[in-house]
Amino acid sequence: MIQYDKEYSIFKIDTPHTSYAMGIADDKYLGHVYYGRKLTDMNLGYLMRAEDHPAAPSVLPREKTGFFDCFPMEYPFGGTGDQRESCINIKTEDGQQGLELAYVSHRIYAGKEPLTGLPATWGDNCETLEITLADEVTGIRALLSYTVFTDTDAIAKSVKIVNGGNRNVYLTKVFSSSLDVEREGLEVLTLPGSWARERRLQRRRLGYGSAAAESVRGMSGHQDHPFIALLSEGCTQTEGEVYAVHFVYSGSFLAKVMEDQFGRTRMVMGIHPDSFCWKLAPGAAFQAPEAVLVYSDAGLGKMTRNFHDLYRKHLIRGYWRDKERPVLINNWEATYFDFNTEKLLSIAREASGAGIEMLVMDDGWFGHRESDNSSLGDWYVNEEKLPGGLKYLADEVNKLGMKLGIWVEPEMISEDSELYRKHPDWALRIKGRKPGQCREQYVLDLSRPEVTEYIYGRLKAILESANIEYVKWDMNRPLADVGNAVLPPEQQGEIQHRYMLAVYGMQERLTHDFPGLLLENCASGGGRFDPGMLYYSPQIWCSDDTDAIERLAVQEGTQLLYPLSSIGAHVSDCPNHITGRTVPFETRGIAALSGTFGYELDITKIPEEERKQIPSQISSYKKYNHLVRNGAYYRIASYQENHLYDCYMVVSQDGAEALLTYVQVMAEANQRSRRIRLQGLLEDALYEIEGRTYQGATLMNAGLLLERMKGDYRAKLIYIRRYTSRY
Ligand code: DGJ
C-alpha cells in the first residue's frame, strides 16, 4: 500500500512486512525518512532534522550548502552543496554542472508502467508512486518511481529524467537508487569474483569512507556483481538487519556505500558514470534502469527468500518460467571444437538411452570455426562438419526423442570472418586506433541499428531453418575501444548504454518471435549473470568452473540472490578440466541438482559405472525438481566459511516437504557425526526422514545427526516429508 499524508508531508510505501518513508522538508526537498520493519505511524518527518540544526534554507539561507551536505536527500543531486555521493549530475551547454531538485507533484496509481527497452519487474498486483522533482534553472525534471507488489517484500525503483528546458543538457551521471541509512557499525556485503570463480561472498566493516562494487566493462562482469548490501554488525543467515540493492541491468554499473562525517551511510546504485554521458535535447527523456531494494529483519536468509520470490513471480517471464527444464547434454567439455554430425549423434544416442532429453551443440558449428580464432559473425552452418546442416541434425536428434539446442555468440566478430572483411567498421573502435582483441575477437558495435538488424536477421533465419528448441547466448569478452564513426562527438558517451539496449532489444525480439524457445544466457560462464538478463532468459550459465566442489562456492554466491531454477548447473567429467580435481560422480550429480541440471561430458567415453548412475540421477531430478524450482531456500552452512562442509535446503511453500543437500568436502578424522539445525519447517509438524520421525521444532532447534561418510567429497540428498501436521 502507498499513502501520502498531507498533514505530515509524508509518503509511506508498505510491502507486506516493511515500510519505506519519505518526507518533504522546507516545502521543497524530498528527504529519505525510513526503511525497515512495517510502521503504521505517519508522524515521521522529524527524522529529517530539517527543523532543528542546521535549519532549512528558507529559515537559514546562509547555511544552505551545509543543509544540503547533511540532509538525507532521497535523490541526491550534485554540484550545489551535497558533497556526498550524488545520484545525478549534468553538464549544460555552458559546460557547467549542478542541479537543485525540488518537489513538484506526485501520483499514486494501480499497476506499473513498463520501462521502455529495459528489463524490469512486472505484475498486476502492484501499486506505483511517481514523484516529480524539478530544477528551476535548467528545467530538468526527475520522475522517481516506486513500485510495491502485494505478495513480495521488495521495492522496485526507477528514475526517468526529462529535459524540460530549452537547451541541450548532458547527463553525466544518473543513478537509479539512493538510500540513506542511519545505523552504527554497519558491514558491507559484495560479491566479487573472477572468471571461473564468480560471486564469492565478501564482508567487511565499513567505517568512515566508502566501499564499492563496480564495472566499466560494458557487462556486469565476473569481477563485481551489481549488488551491494549493508548489514547490521554480526548479521547471520537468521539474525540481524539487511538493506540490499540489486540492479536490473547488465552493463557497466556502480554500487557504492559511503559513511559520512556524521556516521550516516548512503548506498547508491546506477549506471557507471565513468563510461556514460547522454545528450538530452529539449523535451527528450532518459529512462534509467530499475533497482530493487530488499530489507530483512531476520538475517541474510530472509533477504535471499525475498529476492527469490520477487524474481520468480515478477521478473522471469515466458513459457519455461515455472516449468521443469529438459535435462540436457552439452558437448563443450566433451569435444570442444572437434565434432561433426556423427560424433554429436553418437552422444545423442547414448544420452537418449540414459534418459537425457536435449542435446546442446556448443561453439564451433558455423563458418570455419575449428578454434576460438575465427568466424564469429559468419552465422552460416559449416556443412563440412554438419552435412545436411542444422535441419538434418535436428531431425536425427528428434528421431531419438530428444530436443536440439545450439550455442551462439551474436555480439561478437572475429577478424578472420567474412563479416569483418566486409564491414571492419562494425567492430567497436576508437578513431585512429586498431581495436584490441580478446579471445581473438572484437565486439560488434550494436549501438548501430544496421548491425543489430543484420545479426538478428541471421539469428532468426537459423532458428527458422530447423527445429531448434534451446539457445545458449554467449558473450566472451568485455567491451573496450568503445567508440564509433557514426555518433557525433558529444554522443560517444552513449555507446555503452545503447549497446546494452540493443542486446535487450534482440533478446526481446527473440523471445517474442520464438515464444517456446528456452533461452540460456552465458558470458564466459557467469560473467553476465544479473537480473537484467534474467528478464529475458529463465536460466543463466553460472560458471565455466564445473568442478562440483568449486561450484559449491559459486552456487552459494549465486543462490544468495537468484532462484535455484535460474542457475545453470551440469555434471562434467573428471579429472575436472579446470581444477584437475576428481570428485565422485554421485557428488557431481547432487551438486548439479540444485540448479537447472544437465551433463557436459562425452557420455560415450565415461566409465561404465558412472554412465549407469545417470538414469537414477535423472529420476532424482524428476522427483525433486519441483522443490528446487518452487521451494523456499535456506542456507544452513557454508563451505566457504567452515572449509569442511556445505549444507542448504529447500522447503515447499506449505512446509509439507523439503530437500536437504549435504556435501562433506573433507572427511574429518575422529568425528562420527555432525549435528545440523534445519530451517523453514513447521514447528508442530512431525516429519519423516529416512524411516524415522522427528518433530519440526526439534529438527530446527536441536538438529538432525548426519553420519560421517567415508572419504572426501561425499554428498547426500535427504528428503524430508511431513508425516502429520501436529505432533
Ligand atoms: C564460454 C562458455 O561459458 C562455455 O560454456 C562455452 O560455451 C564456450 N564459451 C564456447 O566458446
Side-chain angles (χ1 to χ4, degrees), residues 195 330 332 337 362-364 369 372 407 409 439 472 474-476 522-526 541 543-544 600:
W195 172 74
N330 176 304
W332 178 240
F337 296 97
D362 212 281
D363 194 355
R369 191 156 163 99
D372 59 12
W407 175 99
E409 193 176 2
R439 210 194 190 206
K472 177 176 173 187
D474 204 351
M475 191 253 190
N476 282 304
C522 169
S524 306
W541 183 225
S543 178
D544 274 348
E600 182 139 349

Side-chain angles (χ1 to χ4, degrees), residues 428 444-449 452 484 487 494-495 498-499 502:
L428 281 176
L444 275 170
D445 183 0
L446 299 178
S447 73
R448 294 172 62 170
T452 311
N484 71 23
L487 285 168
E494 298 179 9
I495 295 176
R498 285 178 182 268
Y499 177 94

